[in-house]
Amino acid sequence: MKLSTKSRYAVTAMLDLAIHDKIGPVTLADISQSQGISLSYLEQLFAKLRKNGLVEGVRGPGGGYRLSRPSDEITVARIITAVDENVTMTRCAGKGTCQDGERCLTHQLWDDLSEQLYSFLDGITLDQFSNRPEVQQVAQRQDAQHQRAHHHFIFRRTAA
Amino acid sequence: MKLSTKSRYAVTAMLDLAIHDKIGPVTLADISQSQGISLSYLEQLFAKLRKNGLVEGVRGPGGGYRLSRPSDEITVARIITAVDENVTMTRCAGKGTCQDGERCLTHQLWDDLSEQLYSFLDGITLDQFSNRPEVQQVAQRQDAQHQRAHHHFIFRRTAA
DNA sequence: TAATTCCTGAGCTGCATAGTCAGGATTTAG
DNA sequence: CTAAATCCTGACTATGCAGCTCAGGAATTA
C-alpha cells in the first residue's frame, strides 16, 4: 500500500469519469485540462487502469474513456494498487524470512497495518462521492456546457 | 496524507520503541541494526519525531530514545504526518480557489477522502500492536538477550 | 577525561515521478 | 473514402526526493 501524487491523480481522474458517466466517454484531453495533469502522463496512468479492468477506451471521434463497471463496484483501493503495482513493501513480505527476529516482528506488524488500511480503502467506492447532491448539481451544469460546446450530435440524438 | 517508505520506517521504528519501552531508552544504533535502516537516516527521522513531541532523546551512555507519552496516546496518523509534513496535497487545499470549477470539485472530493483516511489511521495506536501476546513474548526474550549482551549495569541494578 | 550517545547540517546518488515526443491503430464524421 | 478525432504504445528526458554518507558538535555518564 502506497499513497502518492500518482495515486491521487488516478483517483481524481476516476472520479471525473464517475461524475460524467451519463453523457458517455470522457476524453483524456478534458481531464488533462480540467485537472491540470499532462495528457501523456494521463495516458500512462490509464494504460494501467485499463489493464486492470477498471476502465475501457472508446476510439474515434466522440470517444474517450468510461468506467468498465458500475461506480459502486470500483473501490479506491483497487485504483491505487492498479497504478502503484509495487505491492510488497517489506523485504520478507511478512513471511518471517528475515534473518533477525526483531526485524521480522516489526515487518509483520507493518504488513498487518497495511492490510487494515487496504480493507478500509476497499470499502470506499466511487459512487459514494459521485452520488452526492452537490456533485450531481455541478456535473449537470458542466455536462450541459459540454454539449453546447462540442458534441451537438448528442443534442440532435436527444432531440430526435 | 502521504504513504511511503519513509512513513513505514518511522512507524516501524516507533513500534520498536513501544515494544521495548520497559527496559528504558532504545538506541538508534539498535534500531538501525535490527531493521536494516541506516543510522544517519534514522537520525533525520527522529529529529522530526522529536520536534513533533512523539519521542524524547536521552543523551550519554545508556541513553537512546523513548516515547514521550504512553503508547496508547500515539497514533499512526500522527507519526506519518510528523515525518511527511507536506500536508496540503491539492493546490487549492479544498478551499475552492482553483480557476476551473471541475478541478475544484475533484480536489474537494480528494481532500474529503484524505480526511477519512486520516481519521482511520488516527484511531490506530501503537499499543494495539505492542500489547499483543506474541509480541510480548518475543520482546521479553529479546530484552533478556539485550541485557546479557550490553548493559550489565542494568543486571547489577536489578540484582541489587 | 573519555566514552557514549544524541543532535545538526551539508552534500551525494539513484530511482521514481512527471512530463515530452513521435508515431501508429481504430473509429466516426462528412 | 478521406480526414479528423481519439486511443494506444514506446522511448526518451528532466527534476525531485528518498535514502544514505560524512563530518562534526553537544550533552551526559562512567
Side-chain angles (χ1 to χ4, degrees):
Chain A
M1 201 77 237
K2 203 172 139 191
L3 207 55
S4 58
T5 357
K6 199 178 189 172
S7 333
R8 193 185 81 228
Y9 282 172
V11 172
T12 52
M14 289 292 282
L15 279 172
D16 225 324
L17 256 59
I19 290 172
H20 301 105
D21 210 18
K22 288 157 198 159
I23 59 160
V26 180
T27 71
L28 292 190
D30 278 355
I31 299 180
S32 167
Q33 212 184 356
S34 72
Q35 299 209 27
I37 312 170
S38 94
L39 179 61
S40 311
Y41 194 48
L42 273 175
E43 283 174 343
Q44 287 176 36
L45 295 183
F46 272 79
K48 293 187 178 177
L49 293 173
R50 199 172 57 84
K51 275 175 201 151
N52 287 82
L54 297 177
V55 298
E56 56 191 18
V58 181
R59 294 185 171 190
Y65 277 98
R66 71 159 69 101
L67 302 179
S68 62
R69 332 173 182 195
S71 60
D72 62 341
E73 290 180 15
I74 299 182
T75 71
V76 172
R78 297 229 26 202
I79 297 173
I80 292 174
T81 51
V83 295
D84 278 326
E85 30 218 337
N86 168 34
V87 192
T88 54
M89 290 199 72
T90 55
R91 252 153 283 180
C92 62
K95 299 290 177 202
T97 42
C98 281
Q99 308 91 334
D100 196 326
E102 170 154 13
R103 195 194 299 193
C104 262
L105 182 60
T106 48
H107 280 184
Q108 208 173 321
L109 295 179
W110 174 263
D111 285 333
D112 192 83
L113 172 62
S114 198
E115 201 154 323
Q116 283 187 52
L117 187 60
Y118 186 91
S119 302
F120 175 70
L121 291 177
D122 205 37
I124 301 183
T125 58
L126 289 184
D127 74 317
Q128 290 176 26
F129 294 98
S130 61
N131 281 344
R132 295 188 194 169
E134 335 93 76
V135 175
Q136 292 284 338
Q137 277 181 18
V138 179
Q140 279 175 20
R141 185 153 23 93
Q142 284 173 348
D143 291 351
Q145 281 178 4
H146 199 255
Q147 284 176 18
R148 245 180 291 133
H150 302 295
H151 303 296
H152 53 189
F153 71 95
I154 292 182
F155 180 64
R156 267 193 281 124
R157 204 185 287 163
T158 50
Chain B
M1 200 79 238
K2 203 173 141 191
L3 207 56
S4 58
T5 0
K6 199 177 190 175
S7 332
R8 193 185 80 226
Y9 281 172
V11 171
T12 52
M14 288 292 282
L15 280 171
D16 225 325
L17 256 60
I19 291 171
H20 301 105
D21 209 20
K22 289 156 196 158
I23 59 161
V26 179
T27 70
L28 291 190
D30 279 355
I31 299 180
S32 166
Q33 212 183 356
S34 71
Q35 300 210 25
I37 312 170
S38 94
L39 180 60
S40 311
Y41 195 47
L42 273 175
E43 282 173 342
Q44 286 175 37
L45 295 183
F46 272 78
K48 293 186 180 179
L49 293 173
R50 199 173 55 83
K51 275 174 201 152
N52 283 267
L54 296 176
V55 299
E56 55 190 19
V58 181
R59 293 184 172 191
Y65 277 97
R66 71 157 71 98
L67 301 180
S68 62
R69 332 173 182 193
S71 61
D72 62 341
E73 291 180 16
I74 300 183
T75 73
V76 172
R78 296 227 29 200
I79 297 173
I80 292 174
T81 50
V83 294
D84 277 327
E85 31 216 338
N86 169 32
V87 194
T88 54
M89 290 198 70
T90 55
R91 251 155 283 179
C92 63
K95 298 292 177 200
T97 42
C98 281
Q99 308 89 335
D100 197 328
E102 172 156 9
R103 192 194 303 191
C104 262
L105 182 60
T106 48
H107 280 184
Q108 207 174 322
L109 294 178
W110 173 263
D111 285 332
D112 191 85
L113 172 63
S114 197
E115 202 155 321
Q116 283 187 51
L117 186 61
Y118 186 91
S119 302
F120 175 71
L121 292 177
D122 205 37
I124 301 182
T125 58
L126 289 183
D127 75 316
Q128 290 176 25
F129 294 97
S130 60
N131 280 345
R132 294 187 194 170
E134 336 94 76
V135 176
Q136 292 284 337
Q137 279 180 18
V138 179
Q140 279 174 23
R141 184 153 26 91
Q142 283 174 350
D143 291 352
Q145 281 178 5
H146 198 255
Q147 285 177 19
R148 245 180 292 131
H150 302 295
H151 303 295
H152 52 192
F153 70 95
I154 292 183
F155 180 63
R156 269 192 277 124
R157 209 185 283 163
T158 49

